[in-house]
C-alpha cells in the first residue's frame, strides 16, 4: 500500500534516475527507426558492449577507488566515456554499412532478421571480451601489465558477471533532505544522461546535419533531390545512436557495478518499450517514455513486486497502444527524429 510518503518519494527518485539512462538507450532505437523504420535489435547488445569496453578501459587506465585520487578518476572517466562512445559509434556504423545497407531495398523482414543476427553476434563479442584467459595470453605475449589487469578484471569464466570498480562517489548530495537517499553517484547518472539527451536534441534541431537527418527521416527520396547525401546521413545517425548506446552502457555499468553479456537483452527490451510508449521516431517522446518506464519499474518493484514489474510495464504499453497506437507523443505520418 502507498502509505509512506517518504518511501514513495524515494521510489520516485530511483525511478527517475533509472529512467534517464533508459531514455538514453531508447534514443538509439528511435533514431534508427525514425530514419530507416528499422527496429535495431542489436542496439541493446551495443549497450552491453559499452559496459564491457568501460571495464576494459578502466583496467587499462589502472583506476582503483582505493589508490586513485578523485581528480584522476574524474578526468579518466571523462576520457573513457569519450573512448567508449567512439568505439561503439564506429561499431554501430560498421553494422549499418555491412549488415543493413545491402538489405535497404529488400523486404522489411530481411533487415529485421539481420538485426536479430547482429544481436547474437554482439553477444558473442561480449563473451570474447569477457574472457580473461584471452587477455592473459595477450599480456604474456607482449609483457603488458595493463593487459594483465584486464585479464584479472575479466576472470577465467567468460560468461560470468564482471565486477566494475565502484568509482562513483556514494556520499549523500548536500542539498537533499535527510530521509531521502540521493547520492552524488545518482546525481552524476542523471546529469550525464540529461546532458546527452539535451545534446542530441540540440544537435538534431539546430545543426545542418541534424536538419539533414530530419529531412531524410521524413522522405529519403525528397531529401536526395534536395542534395542531401542520404547514405552519409544514415551513417551519421548510426554513429550517434552507437555513441549513445555505449555511453549508456558505461553509465549503467558504473552505476550497478557489473557487466554481463546478456545485460543488453533486458535493457534493450525496456528501452524499446520506452521508445514505443513515448512515440518511436520522436526524440522527446522516447525521452518521456524512458522516464515513465523508470518510474513504473521503481513503483512496481516497491508496491507490487519485482517479479511483476515487466508484466506491469507491458500491460501499460498494451493499453497505450490500444488507445494511442502512435505512442504518447507520436503522430501518424508526423515529424520524426
Amino acid at each position: 500500500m502507498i502509505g509512506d510518503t517518504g518511501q514513495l518519494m524515494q521510489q520516485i527518485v530511483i525511478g527517475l534516475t533509472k529512467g534517464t539512462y533508459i531514455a538514453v538507450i531508447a534514443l538509439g532505437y528511435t533514431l534508427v527507426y525514425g530514419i530507416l523504420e528499422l527496429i535495431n535489435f542489436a542496439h541493446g547488445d551495443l549497450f552491453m558492449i559499452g559496459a564491457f569496453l568501460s571495464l576494459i578501459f578502466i583496467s587499462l587506465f589502472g583506476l582503483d577507488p582505493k589508490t586513485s585520487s578523485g581528480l584522476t578518476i574524474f578526468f579518466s572517466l571523462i576520457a573513457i566515456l569519450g573512448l567508449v562512445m567512439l568505439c561503439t559509434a564506429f561499431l554501430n556504423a560498421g553494422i549499418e554499412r555491412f549488415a543493413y545497407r545491402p538489405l535497404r531495398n529488400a523486404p522489411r523482414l530481411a533487415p529485421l532478421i539481420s538485426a536479430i543476427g547482429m544481436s547474437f553476434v554482439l553477444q558473442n563479442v561480449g563473451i570474447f571480451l569477457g574472457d580473461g584467459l584471452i587477455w592473459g595470453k595477450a599480456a604474456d605475449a607482449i609483457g603488458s601489465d595493463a593487459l594483465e589487469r584486464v585479464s584479472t578484471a575479466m576472470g577465467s569464466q567468460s560468461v560470468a558477471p564482471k565486477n566494475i570498480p565502484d568509482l562513483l562517489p556514494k556520499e549523500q548530495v548536500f542539498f537533499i533532505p535527510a530521509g531521502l537517499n540521493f547520492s552524488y553517484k545518482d546525481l552524476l547518472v542523471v546529469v550525464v544522461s540529461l546532458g546527452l539527451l539535451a545534446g542530441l536534441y540540440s544537435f538534431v534541431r539546430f545543426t545542418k546535419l541534424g536538419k539533414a537527418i530530419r529531412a531524410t527521416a521524413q522522405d529519403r527520396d525528397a531529401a536526395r533531390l534536395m542534395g542531401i547525401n542520404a547514405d552519409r546521413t544514415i551513417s551519421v545517425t548510426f554513429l550517434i545512436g552507437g555513441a549513445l548506446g555505449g555511453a549508456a552502457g558505461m553509465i549503467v555499468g558504473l552505476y550497478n557495478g557489473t557487466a554481463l553479456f546478456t545485460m543488453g537483452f533486458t535493457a534493450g527490451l525496456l528501452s524499446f518499450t520506452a521508445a514505443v510508449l513515448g512515440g518511436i521516431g520522436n526524440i522527446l517522446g522516447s525521452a518521456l517514455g524512458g522516464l515513465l518506464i523508470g518510474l513504473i519499474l521503481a513503483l512496481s518493484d516497491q508496491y507490487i513486486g519485482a517479479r511483476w514489474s515487466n508484466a506491469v510495464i507491458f500491460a501499460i504499453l498494451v493499453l497505450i497502444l490500444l488507445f494511442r497506437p502512435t505512442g504518447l507523443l507520436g503522430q501518424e505520418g508526423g515529424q520524426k527524429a
Side-chain angles (χ1 to χ4, degrees), residues 295-307:
L295 278 174
I296 294 167
L297 264 179
L299 295 174
S300 176
D301 285 352
Q302 178 65 40
Y303 297 109
I304 300 176
R307 61 180 177 171

Side-chain angles (χ1 to χ4, degrees), residues 90-236:
F90 280 100
L91 177 59
N92 204 32
I95 290 172
E96 185 275 329
R97 177 64 185 85
F98 296 107
Y100 299 155
R101 190 180 299 183
L103 301 173
R104 196 168 292 166
N105 296 318
R108 285 190 180 185
L109 195 58
L112 197 66
I113 297 297
S114 182
I116 294 172
M118 286 312 305
S119 170
F120 287 116
V121 169
L122 290 182
Q123 284 189 25
N124 280 283
V125 171
I127 293 173
F128 177 81
L129 292 176
D131 192 336
L133 297 178
I134 294 174
W135 290 101
K137 289 177 182 175
D140 292 339
I142 61 174
S144 169
D145 292 337
L147 291 182
E148 191 59 46
R149 288 196 297 271
V150 178
S151 174
T152 303
M154 294 302 177
S156 58
Q157 297 293 322
S158 59
V159 297
K162 315 300 175 188
N163 292 322
I164 296 180
D166 192 5
L167 298 171
L168 300 181
K170 293 182 287 188
E171 293 80 10
Q172 176 81 352
V173 177
F174 71 93
F175 56 82
I176 298 297
L180 193 61
N181 185 20
F182 188 74
S183 66
Y184 285 102
K185 180 178 178 176
D186 300 305
L187 182 64
L188 280 171
V189 168
V190 172
V191 168
V192 173
S193 299
L194 290 181
L196 289 171
L197 294 174
L200 175 67
Y201 182 78
S202 301
F203 175 81
V204 172
R205 281 290 157 194
F206 305 119
T207 67
K208 187 176 178 181
L209 199 49
K211 290 175 183 174
I213 291 175
R214 283 191 286 146
T216 307
Q218 288 297 308
D219 191 324
R220 201 182 311 165
D221 293 330
R224 281 198 178 100
L225 291 174
M226 297 299 292
I228 293 173
N229 187 329
D231 286 338
R232 188 178 65 183
T233 304
I234 291 170
S235 294
V236 169

